[in-house]
Amino acid sequence: MTKKPDTLRIAIAQLNPTVGDVAGNLAKAREARADAARQDADLVLYTELFLAGYPPEDLVLKPSFLTACEKAAQEFAADTSDGGPGVIIGTPLQRKSGTHNSIIVADGGKIIAERYKLDLPNYGEFDEKRVFQAGPEIQGPVNFRGVRIGIPICEDIWGDVGICESLAESGAEILLVPNGSPYYRAKIDVRHQVVIRQVIECGLPITYANQLGGQDELIFDGASFAIGADKTLAFQMSQFEEAVDVITWKRGEDGWACSEGPMSKIPEREEADYRACMLGLRDYVNKNGFKNVVLGLSGGIDSAICAALAVDALGEERLRAVMMPYRYTSKDSLKDAEDCARALGCRYDIVPIFEPVEGFLHALTQLFEGTKEGITEENLQSRARGTILMAISNKFGSMVVTTGNKSEMSVGYATLYGDMNGGFNPIKDLYKMQVYALSRWRNGHVPPGALGPSGEVIPKNIIDKAPSAELRENQTDQDSLPPYPVLDDILECLVENEMGVDDIVARGHDRAMVTRVEHLLYIAEYKRRQAAPGVKITRKNFGRDRRYPITNRFRDRG
């Protein structure tokens, strides 16, 4: 009788795949396996749908894509004939029972097992039920070199469907879980609690391997970890960083326990949010093939933090900042924008918009005769700026970074075909007060992996002065909006928590103000549908998480 091993060295491949780049993802998987072999790993655990990239969305409906993924899986399985580590890797598989979100287990040059995801998420940012079929039944553990390993896939451990407990009852000794779990603020704590709950239910140690990288609006933050059978944190990998870490598990009288693994420090709230925004911008630009970016640098806080994020993500040489002054642009704004560009070291151009705006006004003189000057004329300034940025984009191939925050986008304080122009928005899911908090944090810290300078990169005057769009004389945002701390609290109640007006008023807010903000939130939906994608930071971002109808007459009046 073959003696069961008492040591298992598992490499966690916390990597950054690209959706649709099957060949590139396979190459990345091979590189990680070679790294794991040098570290004497027995097995490499990759993340959910790694060969396809996650989430592949409707690519899964394309037969040629499924064929490419399965071919890559077979090729990778053949690699294991070299006597090195076995692999557990995610891929879509089309079988008689349907198209499944699957993993293969390969060792000795062949696929020794397949497992299919059972619990398909269909909420928030997930809609897997429209492209995948659930696995037909709970499949038992896989015998890998004498160790019986249970392999639930991501959502299989989030619900209360008893998959982990069933695997334990069928003989599993340890559970390895490949995941594609997107970031939102404090998500790591949520994941830990999910896994602890399952450990209590099944009595087995659980390893949680999570994907890294930006995919459109989603950020995968890594932070892979394990909870031991004793319900304590067995190891913790880094957040927002690629890594191939080998974890040593030893068999004892009470089962398997981690004897060696990393214990990385997890960033605090502002650092985590900033690094998520930075990673999202970097991957969106690089994975979509843009050489550089351009943004309008107004001297305000939103464009300043976006400029800092762009330099940190891409380097100073890949950002062109453009100040576009008009008659209402203050001397302070001109100085603040220049100081910000100088602190960041990026290219800075000034393109006055007096002539194009006056040209539009002149062309419209006859049509507008007898009307009062107002928002229409203000928006012409924003649209002139948007047109100039798009012209620079077309001429030089630079992606326009758009800079509106969540507070403004919530209430429609953004101009279609103006300041909303752009390919990606790194602060789309940050409320105004969060923008201020991250700006102060960045002035005191340089995040790991950032390419920007240390020191004060966002001038103090930008942070301290009253925010203004500067579209008319002496304008400030608070002329027509409540103070941002008040507005942000109301919006968080309405958007993140779906609270009713009465409950929000009970928090101390003025009823008329709450109902006005609710009205503005609803009528701005058509603008948000046309907005650029941006990094998801909160539990409920605009776009993937919150899908309200544009045509909507409901108002909460108690």
Side-chain angles (χ1 to χ4, degrees):
M1 184 176 178
T2 304
K3 182 183 177 183
K4 290 186 176 182
D6 58 9
T7 300
L8 187 65
R9 288 175 58 80
I10 302 174
I12 310 299
Q14 180 176 290
L15 303 175
N16 188 345
T18 299
V19 167
D21 185 9
V22 180
N25 296 339
L26 175 58
K28 189 177 280 285
R30 283 172 162 156
E31 183 180 347
R33 181 172 180 268
D35 185 359
R38 288 189 291 271
Q39 300 183 61
D40 296 322
D42 300 306
L43 176 65
V44 188
L45 174 63
Y46 297 84
T47 53
E48 184 176 12
L49 291 178
F50 184 86
L51 290 173
Y54 187 79
E57 301 186 89
D58 283 11
L59 277 173
V60 171
L61 304 178
K62 197 171 186 66
S64 58
F65 178 69
L66 295 175
T67 299
C69 290
E70 178 140 14
K71 182 174 181 288
Q74 291 169 348
E75 290 178 5
F76 196 35
D79 290 352
T80 63
S81 64
D82 61 6
V87 300
I88 297 173
I89 193 164
T91 185
L93 292 175
Q94 190 167 36
R95 296 293 182 258
K96 289 182 179 179
S97 51
T99 300
H100 300 296
N101 180 335
S102 314
I103 60 93
I104 64 158
V105 184
D107 195 28
K110 61 183 181 181
I111 296 174
I112 63 173
E114 296 175 1
R115 293 294 182 265
Y116 313 130
K117 190 174 184 177
L118 292 163
D119 194 2
L120 300 178
N122 202 48
Y123 57 87
E125 65 267 36
F126 302 111
D127 51 6
E128 288 192 25
K129 287 184 179 179
R130 66 187 300 273
V131 295
F132 288 115
Q133 283 74 49
E137 58 187 11
I138 295 178
Q139 297 166 293
V142 177
N143 188 330
F144 177 82
R145 301 183 186 180
V147 182
R148 293 178 62 79
I149 300 174
I151 314 171
I153 301 172
C154 199
E155 191 72 14
D156 287 346
I157 72 167
W158 284 72
D160 296 317
V161 290
I163 294 172
C164 295
E165 192 173 9
S166 294
L167 285 166
E169 290 171 352
S170 57
E173 302 171 55
I174 188 171
L175 301 185
L176 305 182
V177 188
N179 295 272
S181 177
Y183 174 83
Y184 59 69
R185 191 175 296 122
K187 183 74 169 288
I188 290 177
D189 294 337
V190 177
R191 295 181 193 133
H192 284 182
Q193 291 305 311
V194 166
V195 174
I196 288 170
R197 186 179 74 243
Q198 294 293 355
V199 168
I200 293 170
E201 289 291 324
C202 71
L204 298 178
I206 298 178
T207 294
Y208 188 105
N210 194 34
Q211 181 176 307
L212 183 82
Q215 172 56 30
D216 296 344
E217 295 192 306
L218 300 180
I219 305 303
F220 298 92
D221 56 311
S224 304
F225 67 97
I227 301 294
D230 61 358
K231 301 180 283 298
T232 63
L233 186 65
F235 73 86
Q236 176 67 67
M237 290 175 65
S238 59
Q239 193 176 23
F240 304 112
E241 296 173 3
E242 280 195 298
V244 179
D245 287 342
V246 175
I247 318 301
T248 301
W249 292 87
K250 290 189 177 294
R251 187 199 300 269
E253 292 182 2
D254 297 324
W256 290 91
C258 176
S259 67
E260 181 184 354
M263 198 60 76
S264 299
K265 186 176 184 297
I266 296 301
E268 297 294 335
R269 174 172 170 156
E270 280 76 21
E271 179 182 348
D273 284 355
Y274 191 93
R275 291 175 69 181
C277 293
M278 188 175 79
L279 176 60
L281 178 60
R282 174 183 290 157
D283 274 4
Y284 191 87
V285 170
N286 291 341
K287 289 182 178 181
N288 286 292
F290 294 103
K291 293 181 179 179
N292 45 53
V293 297
V294 60
L295 61 76
L297 193 62
S298 67
I301 189 72
D302 297 324
S303 63
I305 195 172
C306 286
L309 283 163
V311 170
D312 283 341
L314 307 169
E316 62 186 47
E317 72 283 357
R318 296 178 68 185
L319 170 65
R320 180 199 295 255
V322 184
M323 159 56 90
M324 293 166 284
Y326 186 55
R327 65 175 68 184
Y328 304 122
T329 303
S330 67
K331 291 181 180 179
D332 276 352
S333 292
L334 285 164
K335 182 178 185 303
D336 291 341
E338 183 178 359
D339 289 347
C340 184
R342 185 182 293 114
L344 290 167
C346 63
R347 176 168 177 168
Y348 178 66
D349 297 303
I350 299 178
V351 181
I353 64 166
F354 181 83
E355 289 186 1
V357 172
E358 294 301 311
F360 280 127
L361 291 172
H362 178 74
L364 293 165
T365 298
Q366 187 173 350
L367 283 175
F368 287 1
E369 186 177 0
T371 64
K372 185 178 180 181
E373 188 171 307
I375 292 175
T376 301
E377 288 73 17
E378 293 178 13
N379 285 345
L380 282 175
Q381 299 167 51
S382 180
R383 292 189 172 118
R385 292 183 174 112
T387 299
I388 287 169
L389 290 175
M390 289 309 301
I392 294 171
S393 173
N394 291 158
K395 179 64 70 174
F396 300 108
S398 306
M399 187 197 78
V400 177
V401 174
T402 184
T403 62
N405 63 69
K406 191 171 186 176
S407 303
E408 294 169 351
M409 291 302 298
S410 294
V411 294
Y413 277 52
T415 305
L416 277 173
Y417 325 119
D419 59 317
M420 286 179 65
N421 279 2
F424 194 77
N425 182 351
I427 64 167
K428 181 179 180 179
D429 203 28
L430 291 175
Y431 289 107
K432 189 76 169 187
M433 297 311 297
Q434 292 165 354
V435 169
Y436 280 110
L438 265 61
S439 298
R440 295 186 185 96
W441 179 87
R442 177 58 182 88
N443 276 348
H445 306 83
V446 181
L451 302 176
S454 60
E456 185 180 271
V457 295
I458 300 174
K460 187 173 183 296
N461 192 56
I462 290 179
I463 296 174
D464 291 344
K465 68 184 179 182
S468 171
E470 294 192 325
L471 298 176
R472 61 177 182 268
E473 201 71 51
N474 299 319
Q475 181 186 28
T476 67
D477 291 1
Q478 257 63 80
D479 294 342
S480 50
L481 291 173
Y484 276 115
V486 175
L487 177 63
D488 286 359
D489 188 67
I490 294 172
L491 288 171
E492 286 198 50
C493 291
L494 289 168
V495 177
E496 263 68 49
N497 300 319
E498 297 286 5
M499 290 172 62
V501 168
D502 288 346
D503 291 332
I504 301 173
V505 171
R507 289 170 62 89
H509 293 295
D510 175 72
R511 180 175 293 276
M513 181 58 68
V514 174
T515 56
R516 178 169 176 263
V517 170
E518 182 207 37
H519 176 70
L520 292 173
L521 175 67
Y522 284 151
I523 66 171
E525 186 62 39
Y526 79 101
K527 289 187 179 182
R528 292 189 290 271
R529 293 285 183 95
Q530 300 178 66
V535 177
K536 171 181 164 66
I537 294 293
T538 67
R539 284 176 177 263
K540 190 168 286 190
N541 74 330
F542 291 126
R544 299 188 71 100
D545 294 332
R546 186 181 186 276
R547 306 178 192 184
Y548 268 64
I550 295 174
T551 305
N552 170 23
R553 290 191 178 181
F554 176 76
R555 299 295 184 269
D556 181 5
R557 296 297 177 260

